[in-house]
Amino acid sequence: MKIRLALLLCLMLLVIIFARVQGGYDPHQQSPDLQYNEAKTVYLGNLKRHENGVPPLRWNQQLTLAARWFSWDSVENRPPGFCGHQDTQGHWPDFRAREHGYLGFAGAENAFCGYISPEDAIQGWMNSPGHRANLLDPNSREVGLGYYRRASDGRGYITQDFGVDPAYAPVIISNEAISTTSPMVSLYIYDRSESGGFAGLSAATQMMVSNDACFTDATWEAYSARRSWVLASGQGWRSVYVQTRDVFSRTMTVSDTIHLGVNVPLNELGAAQMSTTQDQVTLYSLDNQNWAQVHFSLGWLADDTNETFKKWWGNGESVNDPKAWGGTAYRLDPGNGESFAWVYDTTFYKSIPMTAYFRLKVGDNTSEGDVARVAVLGGGIEYGPLILKGVDFAAANEYQEFALDFTFQDNPDEPFLFFEFWRIGEASVYIDAVSIFSEPQPIAATVVWSPPGGNYRGRGVWMRYIKDGQFSPIQQADTIPPLEVSPASLTFFADRDTVLPVASVLQVFQNCQTYSWEADSDVAWLQTQAVGDEVLVSVNPKDLAVGEYNGVVTISAPGVSPAAAPVRLKVVEKLASLYLPIVVK
């Protein structure tokens, strides 16, 4: 048996890929039995990692799509006996992962060049030094599994792809088990990947855990990678949500799902149980009454603690300051001429208009003379300088922010983004941080934002409102819709000049709190009636010509984003009646 497994094992371990729907194959569609094998293989692999003291891997959708495509390609487009990692289009694992939407680092891949059980696949990989190294690599955080088996002859292929995304720090329930009969589970909570750049996050200092996305009654506690947790009672799919934050209060919210109870509905197993990435994030209940524009940030920040922060001349030193973000600031002191410092990055987003908010304070705000100067140098282009007088500060020894628009130009000869600071007067100038925001855009109650890089994975979204040169303090945007409806849309068919009775019901869901909501429609032929947590929806096609009509039912409440359900009405001359025979057994 060991010899046969060894022969089946794919011994090529090159790690670098593509995956595209073609030849009629869609990797989004997977049979329940093969999808179960994929989930079980993830779990069994995590048990081996646990036995060897390595954190578990989160099951990922994009890596799974890439793995499924390659398994299909290796069976359907290769002769029998193929065993490798290069696909028929000449690409390798890292290319396939990116083509299927995985924007982290990928490339390590294991394969079984035939169909085999999850137990035998994991054991076979563990018996091969190279495959074992991939499976137990502590640098990986996510995994995709792709099973393919041809019905006509049983020929199959199994692919396992590994990845790590600095933008994502997963939570994993009980080693990614499919189900549990006990509500007591174990959690593994990854810390953020620290980065010295302006777009990165620092290590988590606190976390809170909840059985609902609103974190009802949850409280902050010290961050810990491992924690026991009790799932919500009852039976069915149960999710656990974890939010972490760092010393700058930058948050990340992640979740995982497991089935509690027996008789797991395997037909429901799939994307809902996997981690994923989005290229957009929807933000709800924005204030569109008192402000004109809004802009956003994923906590982009330049701070005096960045490793690239440096004082070049003059007097200055790092100081502890409870009023500063993160508890520290850099003070530029009088004497010894001017003082000058900068902080820089080479990896921040290029060719995108941004706004930098310099957070500074001065020891004396009475001077009419110049006390400080700030500027941005982005790819060789200078923005500013912004020259500040003492009286530009509303109060002494209180931090104040000053905005400066810039674009980090894509210039290979000048690959640096600098934020520059001068003390030019006789007062001490404290440099706290520079927060960075996207280009302003008009406000609506609900905004769909596309973060630069197209890789949104649960980070808290900062926002600032703007009007007439004024700007608000930083606020955290709401990414959970306050109101939702199910089903998402309704369709009616009607005879011409016939009044239909109530024909459909919309269920209204209120997230995080209770609202005084009401239902309304935008067309005369569409009527609504609120009853409890439901809306009875009816149509009146009287006086409507034959054709198709569209309307919207809107669920609204004061101060929050509304929910809407499109309604389609098809009016015909006469609906045909279908009478089915009664079958008596």
Side-chain angles (χ1 to χ4, degrees):
M1 182 65 177
K2 288 184 178 179
I3 294 176
R4 193 178 77 177
L5 290 176
L7 291 174
L8 282 171
L9 275 172
C10 198
L11 296 179
M12 289 180 63
L13 294 174
L14 284 172
V15 288
I16 346 185
I17 357 167
F18 149 89
R20 207 170 265 160
V21 176
Q22 58 178 0
Y25 177 71
D26 182 359
H28 292 85
Q29 305 298 319
Q30 180 66 295
S31 65
D33 58 330
L34 293 184
Q35 195 152 237
Y36 171 78
N37 283 350
E38 292 169 350
K40 189 172 183 180
T41 304
V42 172
Y43 172 62
L44 294 176
N46 279 337
L47 292 184
K48 292 299 182 183
R49 289 173 68 92
H50 179 71
E51 291 173 8
N52 289 271
V54 184
L57 302 174
R58 182 77 167 89
W59 190 15
N60 176 265
Q61 183 182 18
Q62 285 73 36
L63 292 174
T64 292
L65 296 177
R68 286 175 182 170
W69 185 91
F70 181 60
S71 292
W72 167 83
D73 182 58
S74 299
V75 171
E76 299 295 348
N77 298 323
R78 294 284 196 179
F82 168 76
C83 192
H85 294 274
Q86 187 179 33
D87 60 50
T88 54
Q89 298 193 3
H91 299 298
W92 299 92
D94 65 331
F95 185 86
R96 291 193 292 271
R98 184 162 289 273
E99 283 293 297
H100 279 101
Y102 192 75
L103 301 182
F105 299 105
E109 181 176 88
N110 288 341
F112 234 108
C113 310
Y115 183 81
I116 201 167
S117 71
E119 292 83 357
D120 288 341
I122 292 297
Q123 193 57 53
W125 286 328
M126 289 296 292
N127 290 340
S128 166
H131 297 85
R132 177 189 176 96
N134 280 345
L135 182 57
L136 301 183
D137 184 359
N139 296 308
S140 297
R141 293 189 173 190
E142 295 179 276
V143 65
L145 257 296
Y147 270 69
Y148 186 79
R149 190 178 192 183
R150 189 160 59 193
S152 61
D153 60 3
R155 182 184 169 199
Y157 210 92
I158 304 169
T159 304
Q160 183 183 47
D161 285 327
F162 302 90
V164 59
D165 188 349
Y168 181 61
V171 57
I172 298 160
I173 304 174
S174 296
N175 290 307
E176 206 71 313
I178 301 170
S179 65
T180 177
T181 57
S182 171
M184 178 65 75
V185 295
S186 62
L187 306 180
Y188 189 88
I189 305 163
Y190 275 93
D191 199 354
R192 298 95 168 276
S193 297
E194 292 191 59
S195 169
F198 300 161
L201 296 177
S202 52
T205 57
Q206 292 182 302
M207 67 181 188
M208 56 181 174
V209 186
S210 178
N211 286 322
D212 66 81
C214 301
F215 291 89
T216 305
D217 299 325
T219 57
W220 290 105
E221 59 188 84
Y223 167 77
S224 176
R226 299 185 185 275
R227 196 190 195 291
S228 297
W229 185 252
V230 179
L231 302 173
S233 60
Q235 294 196 15
W237 295 105
R238 295 290 182 266
S239 294
V240 177
Y241 300 84
V242 175
Q243 186 172 105
T244 58
R245 68 182 180 186
D246 61 16
V247 294
F248 301 105
S249 295
R250 297 179 293 188
T251 64
M252 177 182 290
T253 304
V254 295
S255 65
D256 195 10
T257 301
I258 193 170
H259 188 271
L260 175 58
V262 297
N263 302 320
V264 182
L266 296 181
N267 61 310
E268 298 176 5
L269 187 66
Q273 287 75 43
M274 303 181 200
S275 64
T276 190
T277 185
Q278 302 168 263
D279 58 5
Q280 296 178 325
V281 56
T282 303
L283 309 172
Y284 299 94
S285 305
L286 277 67
D287 179 4
N288 59 353
Q289 301 299 316
N290 302 317
W291 299 91
Q293 293 180 301
V294 64
H295 54 180
F296 306 105
S297 172
L298 292 180
W300 304 319
L301 197 68
D303 185 65
D304 61 285
T305 59
N306 281 88
E307 60 183 12
T308 61
F309 187 96
K310 184 175 181 178
K311 183 202 72 175
W312 281 96
W313 60 74
N315 294 334
E317 61 179 343
S318 180
V319 295
N320 294 323
D321 186 349
K323 294 182 178 180
W325 293 348
T328 66
Y330 199 90
R331 186 179 64 212
L332 299 178
D333 291 321
N336 198 22
E338 288 189 359
S339 301
F340 172 68
W342 74 26
V343 60
Y344 71 85
D345 187 11
T346 60
T347 61
F348 197 67
Y349 304 108
K350 296 181 174 65
S351 305
I352 301 174
M354 298 272 190
T355 301
Y357 289 89
F358 291 78
R359 191 168 192 264
L360 311 170
K361 73 176 180 180
V362 293
D364 180 0
N365 71 324
T366 62
S367 173
E368 294 282 352
D370 300 340
V371 296
R373 184 168 70 246
V374 295
V376 180
L377 188 63
I381 303 298
E382 184 178 43
Y383 300 88
L386 183 63
I387 300 175
L388 303 172
K389 302 179 183 299
V391 293
D392 291 329
F393 291 81
N397 295 312
E398 295 292 336
Y399 283 105
Q400 188 168 326
E401 293 180 273
F402 301 91
L404 187 58
D405 295 334
F406 75 96
T407 299
F408 185 12
Q409 305 292 335
D410 189 3
N411 181 355
D413 295 326
E414 296 286 348
F416 298 96
L417 172 63
F418 292 100
F419 296 129
E420 301 177 330
F421 317 87
W422 289 265
R423 178 206 52 77
I424 52 179
E426 295 305 316
S428 294
V429 175
Y430 293 75
I431 304 165
D432 183 8
V434 181
S435 58
I436 309 165
F437 282 75
S438 62
E439 187 175 22
Q441 63 186 72
I443 296 178
T446 301
V447 171
V448 177
W449 181 48
S450 299
N455 189 26
Y456 179 74
R457 305 208 65 182
R459 284 176 64 163
V461 179
W462 287 353
M463 62 181 180
R464 285 186 189 270
Y465 297 114
I466 305 170
K467 183 178 181 181
D468 299 331
Q470 302 298 309
F471 50 86
S472 73
I474 294 175
Q475 302 177 41
Q476 181 136 319
D478 191 351
T479 58
I480 301 175
L483 297 167
E484 293 182 278
V485 294
S486 180
S489 62
L490 296 173
T491 299
F492 293 89
F493 295 88
D495 282 346
R496 184 181 179 186
D497 297 329
T498 299
V499 177
L500 289 183
V502 172
S504 285
V505 174
L506 284 175
Q507 184 75 37
V508 178
F509 298 95
Q510 303 176 71
N511 296 325
C512 301
Q513 66 182 77
T514 301
Y515 302 97
S516 298
W517 60 268
E518 58 183 24
D520 200 2
S521 67
D522 64 338
V523 288
W525 52 263
L526 184 59
Q527 288 89 44
T528 63
Q529 180 184 359
V531 180
D533 291 330
E534 297 178 338
V535 178
L536 306 181
V537 182
S538 61
V539 296
N540 182 358
K542 184 176 176 58
D543 298 328
L544 293 181
V546 171
E548 183 172 311
Y549 299 85
N550 294 285
V552 176
V553 172
T554 300
I555 312 300
S556 58
V560 300
S561 295
V567 178
R568 182 175 61 166
L569 169 63
K570 287 192 172 183
V571 179
V572 297
E573 284 290 349
K574 186 68 177 177
L575 285 175
S577 298
L578 177 64
Y579 298 95
L580 297 177
I582 298 175
V583 178
V584 180
K585 293 187 178 179

